[in-house]
Amino acid sequence: MDLVLNIADDYLLDAVWARVVPASAFLASNASAFIPVASDSKWNLLVSHLPHPPILANSSLALGSISPLASAWPREYIPRQLISLIALTLAGIFLLYFVFAALSYQYIFNHEMMSHPRFLKNQVRLEIESSLRAFPVMTLLTLPWFEAEVLGYSKMYDNVEEYGWMYFFASIAMFLLFTDYGIYWVHRTLHHPMLYKHIHKPHHKWFIPTPFASHAFHPVDGYLQSVPYHLFAFIFPLHRWLYLSLFVFVNCWSILIHDSDMITGHPLETVINGPAHHTLHHLYFTVNYGQYFTWADRWGGSYRQPASELDPMLQVKAKQETQCKAALGKEQ
């Protein structure tokens, strides 16, 4: 998020903060602190009472040299960073969720599944409402990780030459394996009876999930399953742009595997923990905890192979046949 924050500051947030907390509301004193400037602006008078970092009188914000585009809260001021990170995170997750979930729902999700006996009334609306309630709390829980990145505590780097192209591509595999096994254990732990009904059960009310269920978690559940993504960048070097790309990818992947798809027989079925595998997890609860691959489930004894006879669409077809027979019986 340090990369996103820098870009946002360059193109948007510097100007926003200059308006929200303008340096013109203050002047720098010889005591290395701001003092309020008399102003007719009610907003400036209000702002003048906000906390702010000290600035020397001979600085660029000294009286007589204040730029109209300057903010009393500079980029390195932590309260500004925290508020900016919250705003950017919420904007990003809302954009990812509503764009990619809507596209997946429209063009990939089989809408016949909404006739399944276990598909809830108004389920799509309930999934979206659950996600919207979770996003703000998940953002606050994740905020320390993002702020630590901004403060330079992670091992993310800027130049590929620093570790080389071989490590750059190897780090992709490392990230996927680390997070897959990490999420496997977090997910499986959340199914322990002591935790399940309090934290993870809300996500399993969606027996037949739609893409909008991808983020419809209890916020603590959603946060805990995201921890491996953040932790990786504090243990292993990872290119900043690559980390951002992988972060977008994992959110899109979470949306994709919630489309209730049970297409079977493809060549990567025994390796990739895809939509069919995750559909079985929602139906049977104690299988296929992994995120991308089947290896952790195989190793942990929780793997279940997708098969055509397990397809929930069979129940949809059976329900439709029963309804057709009932309708024909009434006509006769």
Side-chain angles (χ1 to χ4, degrees):
M1 283 299 290
D2 53 348
L3 174 64
V4 175
L5 182 58
N6 283 333
I7 294 172
D9 278 337
D10 286 340
Y11 292 98
L12 176 64
L13 293 182
D14 280 345
V16 170
W17 283 109
R19 287 181 173 273
V20 174
V21 189
S24 58
F26 307 89
L27 61 84
S29 74
N30 290 324
S32 301
F34 282 135
I35 59 175
V37 172
S39 173
D40 293 331
S41 167
K42 292 182 179 180
W43 179 250
N44 276 9
L45 287 173
L46 176 64
V47 166
S48 68
H49 296 289
L50 293 176
H52 40 70
I55 293 185
L56 297 174
N58 61 357
S59 73
S60 61
L61 296 182
L63 185 62
S65 61
I66 295 176
S67 167
L69 296 179
S71 173
W73 285 12
R75 289 188 180 189
E76 62 272 15
Y77 191 48
I78 290 178
R80 166 177 164 167
Q81 292 175 350
L82 294 174
I83 295 171
S84 296
L85 287 170
I86 290 171
L88 290 171
T89 303
L90 286 173
I93 193 61
F94 271 77
L95 183 66
L96 277 172
Y97 178 70
F98 282 108
V99 171
F100 289 101
L103 288 173
S104 181
Y105 176 78
Q106 183 66 34
Y107 297 107
I108 299 177
F109 176 69
N110 186 346
H111 288 71
E112 286 187 273
M113 294 300 298
M114 299 171 76
S115 299
H116 192 280
R118 304 186 84 174
F119 195 87
L120 304 179
K121 182 181 179 181
N122 299 320
Q123 181 173 309
V124 173
R125 178 176 61 82
L126 294 173
E127 290 170 342
I128 294 173
E129 289 176 351
S130 176
S131 300
L132 294 182
R133 286 193 299 270
F135 287 154
V137 181
M138 289 168 61
T139 297
L140 291 175
L141 292 172
T142 307
L143 191 59
W145 292 100
F146 288 156
E147 179 61 19
E149 291 174 16
V150 172
L151 295 176
Y153 292 108
S154 76
K155 293 196 173 184
M156 287 190 284
Y157 62 94
D158 295 304
N159 298 317
V160 174
E161 291 77 13
E162 190 172 345
Y163 291 92
W165 283 104
M166 184 175 292
Y167 179 80
F168 178 89
F169 289 108
S171 66
I172 299 175
M174 291 165 58
F175 177 88
L176 294 176
L177 287 171
F178 179 91
T179 56
D180 189 58
Y181 275 84
I183 291 169
Y184 172 84
W185 281 113
V186 171
H187 193 177
R188 188 158 187 173
T189 300
L190 288 168
H191 275 260
H192 189 280
M194 292 181 62
L195 298 174
Y196 178 76
K197 74 175 181 178
H198 300 293
I199 298 177
H200 194 54
K201 187 177 180 180
H203 186 63
H204 272 282
K205 70 188 293 184
W206 327 116
F207 291 99
I208 305 297
T210 79
F212 290 108
S214 58
H215 293 73
F217 289 98
H218 184 291
V220 174
D221 182 359
Y223 166 71
L224 290 175
Q225 293 200 56
S226 75
V227 166
Y229 303 135
H230 307 297
L231 186 60
F232 182 90
F234 288 83
I235 299 176
F236 303 100
L238 190 62
H239 191 275
R240 279 184 168 78
W241 279 105
L242 178 59
Y243 180 64
L244 180 60
S245 300
L246 289 169
F247 201 77
V248 172
F249 164 76
V250 297
N251 278 278
C252 292
W253 182 261
S254 295
I255 291 170
L256 176 66
I257 63 176
H258 283 87
D259 70 359
S260 299
D261 171 35
M262 275 293 289
I263 297 174
T264 58
H266 57 82
L268 295 177
E269 189 175 85
T270 58
V271 177
I272 302 299
N273 194 350
H277 300 76
H278 200 70
T279 296
L280 292 182
H281 176 74
H282 274 262
L283 288 171
Y284 300 105
F285 292 14
T286 57
V287 300
N288 301 344
Y289 296 103
Q291 187 77 348
Y292 319 113
F293 306 111
T294 63
W295 301 321
D297 281 294
R298 291 179 184 277
W299 175 72
S302 55
Y303 178 69
R304 185 162 188 177
Q305 176 70 27
S308 57
E309 60 269 21
L310 300 174
D311 191 343
M313 181 55 69
L314 296 176
Q315 291 175 271
V316 174
K317 298 297 184 185
K319 179 182 176 181
Q320 291 173 345
E321 289 177 7
T322 301
Q323 291 173 339
C324 286
K325 289 179 181 177
L328 288 172
K330 288 181 179 179
E331 290 178 2
Q332 293 173 353

